[in-house]
Amino acid sequence: MKKILTLIGGALLAMQSLTATAENRKWDFRNWSPATVANLKAGADWSDIEKATDIDKGPTDLSRDNCFWEVTASGTAEGTTLTANGEVIAELNGLLYTNTTSRSLAIAVNYGDVSSLSGSGFGPYQGASYLWLGSKTKNYFIIPGVKAGAKIKMGVESHNTTKARGVNLYVGHGTSGTKLKSPAGEDVSVPKTYTEQEWEVPVDLKDAPNADGTYDIQIQNTDGCHLYYIEVVEDMPELENARLAYIYSSAMGNASEEPYYDVLMNNENFKNVTIEVIDATQAIDALALRQYNVVVVSPMLSGSEVGLEAVKSSIAYVPMLNLNPNLYKAWELGDVISTATNIINIPEVFREHDLFKPSSSSDNYIDENGNLVFFEDGGVTGVTIPEGTYFADDRVLATAGDAVISHIHNPSRNAYMLLSYGAENTSFAGSFVDLMGNAVKILNSSKQDVTLAATPVFTYSFKNLSTDVSISCSTKGAEIYYTTDGSEPTSASTLYTEPFNISSENTVVKAIAYANGYDASLVGDSVVAIYTTTASPIFSVEQQEGKTVVTLSTTEEDAIIYYNIAGSNKANESTIYTEPIEIKNYTTLTAFTGELGDKKQSECITKDIFVQGKEIRIDVVSHFDANRADWSNGESKTFYYTEGKKNGYPFYNTHEETGKASDGVTDSTYIVVDGPANKLTLWNPGKGWEFKSYGQGALWENNGPVADVDNSNDAKRYRGETALDFGASSYNIQFGNPYKSDGVHGDPYSCSIESTEAFQGPFDVVTFVGNGSSNNLPRADIYVSTDTTDVNNWTKVDSVTFSKNYRYIKKSVIGYEGTEKVFVKLQADFSSVMVFDIIIMNNGEKSQGVNGIEEITDSKEACGEIVRTEIYSINGVKTSRAAKGINIVKEVYANGTVKTRKVMVK
């Protein structure tokens, strides 16, 4: 049974239109108007020819009248309104164009799968109509006048669906302002396939606002990508021209007699809303529920109604407000808790949430302790949400003791909310009307079309005469099912959990993805290739005093061997083996043989390399990494700590004196140095490390080192000098030039990065430092101190190692073997020192779990007497005698055979 009540000017829910309103704005690029298309065709400022070099050839069959590139480079730093044929493009009106490169922005009117032009990965796309931001990183658009606290939503997809490409958002013009994150405070990752993403403008920005208190937001692409829409949500939208479904049970009475239904019917802030009453005692079509803006579930349901299974299956596919806590047990989503309190508590982080906003400014439902009166008397009923269940990771908006009263699931897309009024208590407090109305508005604003999950993508690891197949899906939380017999996959097929091996040629693998809130993906398929590979490298390990020498060889004549410490199978991230490798600290080494003729590269061989007599230290005690959040002051590229910027400020106090020049005749003015000014620049984010300078210039930089050690690809990028120097973070603090207080001589080098906490010795100091000079070799040293208040108490441990090559990074491991608890300092002894990481590592639980001595199997029998016996701890440290616990005894025989055995001493 379905009852329809239409209210004109009275109640309920409103679907947001796709046009801009005063508070909330949306730009939709999925359906360009006939007027826009006509102007794109007619005007000289847009062309359906992608490259200027192809003007004589004309457009391709795919691009002709289907895709138009902006050819006038009309963008400005402040932003301009885009036009076509002299007319403002309606779909872009309100966005300010800042790109100044011709033919790097395109409007796709009907430009879908272009793989026939560009190759695999360039389609199929989410749709054929979109805004295309071209390749290379550029500032593209400004969203002007956005309020703090606003949410910005976009549908984004990479132009090459095999590579992650998308957009980043920054406050202000350019990328020097704060980089926006998701409402959960997480980085918004760039996608491969179509993904709906959301950013939030923080309310505590340090960036300078516009005169009206709003902020301009810069859209910058990371590479070629598509935008399907942009939406700015600043205020809860009013509800108008919308449809609401109210799920009730006729066995419990009439919906019109329920107070929850009544409060929605008579909400004076709802305009021109249709309410459709749906009886859960009858079968309900889950697909039909998707047409509503919000589905409201009555508390007056027992949980046994036949239609409720369809309601449950619609969670995440249509916005839903559940007022019934008893359904959690029936749906196996949790349990029900009854309480004796009529008051609920709101966590501090959610006390400004739209759910709790009163309609009148004179009302304030939440007191200073976060308490809100939910009922006038009686108790409130809530739920438990066990770990590992469907709602376990949701934001909990309100509780009553251990009971969850309100939580929200998937808030940015077809959200679900529990507002646990229940049927047992109807002594509603004054907040009831506003909370009900607010909940429906919030859910309405999350309404999105249900789309397909992203199509699964295949990657391969080739072995000799077999291939390991990996499958991934960019849709969050997707489950992948696959077949290997060419049949169509379904949810009854094999669930993908880990890479699997294929050894038969021409095997067809097909995969489909299912994700909550999405329809099943398109089927991805691939014919798995089988290759012969080169022979894997052979490790030969020789332990010497203080180091281990690793020799690599292969039976593959003329083949190249590559090695690295990153576990990588990529040649450009590895060093070519040319001579034995000296390892001075415990290291995990990976090696493989490169392609040769028709043979693919070999499988990777990974081996732990131990160093005789060296304690294993791989437990991280503290890590300085110059991360942007703590060290950039909100900048995205560079931030200068010191006045005078890179060249610093005077280390000394000085004064001028006048006297005769060297000729004894000419008057001259001299700068006389009096003594240290002791003017300190200090930056301490409270994370265990601080930067100091007494005048030497310094800046924070975002360099983004690459794993690629092959300099031929991009000489300007920062990288490890060899594969053994892999591991630097993305940011650094660079020590610049000292000032010349007397106008002639450079002041002392005073920059340092110091720990603000002491570390118990012994430990290793691992540094990643770069060379910021094309002409000189930087210098810096590691010091330790038991008392940082005494400037003379610092003791030098050793110097860090720098590459002679500009922009290259070197890794150093410096051991502090003392037993005292000491502070650590990296001190400049020159300029152009780029400090990426300082890591304190000791012999903790992780290190002690590594067996420092490997069993040695000799092909020949032991012969003759034992000529030498060595004893090691389980961690690989050589000892003079066996200690309590497990010891490793190494016996060397006269014929060179070596045997090892474990000995337990009780």
Side-chain angles (χ1 to χ4, degrees), residues 403-646:
V404 174
I405 305 305
S406 182
H407 69 93
I408 188 166
H409 178 74
N410 201 28
S412 63
R413 187 176 186 276
N414 294 327
Y416 167 97
M417 181 187 291
L418 171 71
L419 194 55
S420 188
Y421 275 106
E424 294 80 10
N425 193 343
T426 56
S427 61
F428 306 115
S431 59
F432 175 57
V433 173
D434 281 339
L435 264 60
M436 288 284 289
N438 290 344
V440 174
K441 290 182 186 179
I442 291 167
L443 294 167
N444 174 59
S445 68
S446 75
K447 175 71 174 178
Q448 297 281 350
D449 291 337
V450 177
T451 57
L452 303 182
T455 304
V457 175
F458 301 90
T459 54
Y460 312 97
S461 177
F462 300 114
K463 298 184 175 183
N464 193 41
L465 300 178
S466 70
T467 299
D468 284 343
V469 181
S470 299
I471 316 176
S472 61
C473 176
S474 62
T475 302
K476 185 177 180 180
E479 288 188 336
I480 301 170
Y481 295 84
Y482 69 95
T483 63
T484 58
D485 60 1
S487 62
E488 293 302 301
T490 67
S491 58
S493 302
T494 303
L495 174 66
Y496 175 80
T497 57
E498 60 183 358
F500 53 92
N501 185 264
I502 297 295
S503 57
S504 299
E505 290 189 12
N506 300 318
T507 296
V508 177
V509 178
K510 294 186 176 184
I512 190 169
Y514 297 91
N516 187 244
Y518 295 82
D519 285 332
S521 73
L522 298 175
V523 173
D525 59 64
S526 176
V527 178
V528 180
I530 305 296
Y531 295 98
T532 300
T533 65
T534 54
S536 296
I538 301 168
F539 279 72
S540 177
V541 178
E542 180 186 358
Q543 291 187 338
Q544 300 179 9
E545 191 63 36
K547 64 182 178 181
T548 296
V549 178
V550 179
T551 302
L552 300 176
S553 60
T554 179
T555 59
E556 203 76 53
E557 189 176 352
D558 298 327
I560 297 174
I561 299 174
Y562 298 86
Y563 68 92
N564 61 76
I565 61 171
S568 174
N569 63 352
K570 297 178 180 178
N572 64 329
E573 296 179 359
S574 307
T575 295
I576 295 175
Y577 176 80
T578 57
E579 59 183 358
I581 308 160
E582 289 191 357
I583 303 295
K584 296 185 177 181
N585 294 278
Y586 167 75
T587 300
T588 300
L589 201 64
T590 296
F592 57 90
T593 308
E595 294 185 0
L596 186 65
D598 293 333
K599 295 181 179 180
K600 293 289 185 180
Q601 76 177 41
S602 75
E603 294 181 56
C604 290
I605 302 296
T606 297
K607 190 174 183 64
D608 289 337
I609 308 299
F610 302 91
V611 179
Q612 181 176 308
K614 292 292 290 288
E615 184 177 62
I616 298 173
R617 297 171 183 167
I618 58 174
D619 292 81
V620 176
V621 179
S622 182
H623 185 181
F624 161 81
D625 64 355
N627 66 82
R628 184 172 181 264
D630 294 332
W631 298 93
S632 74
N633 197 36
E635 298 295 332
S636 61
K637 292 295 183 183
T638 57
F639 168 64
Y640 288 92
Y641 295 107
T642 47
E643 57 183 271
K645 296 191 174 181
K646 193 172 183 179

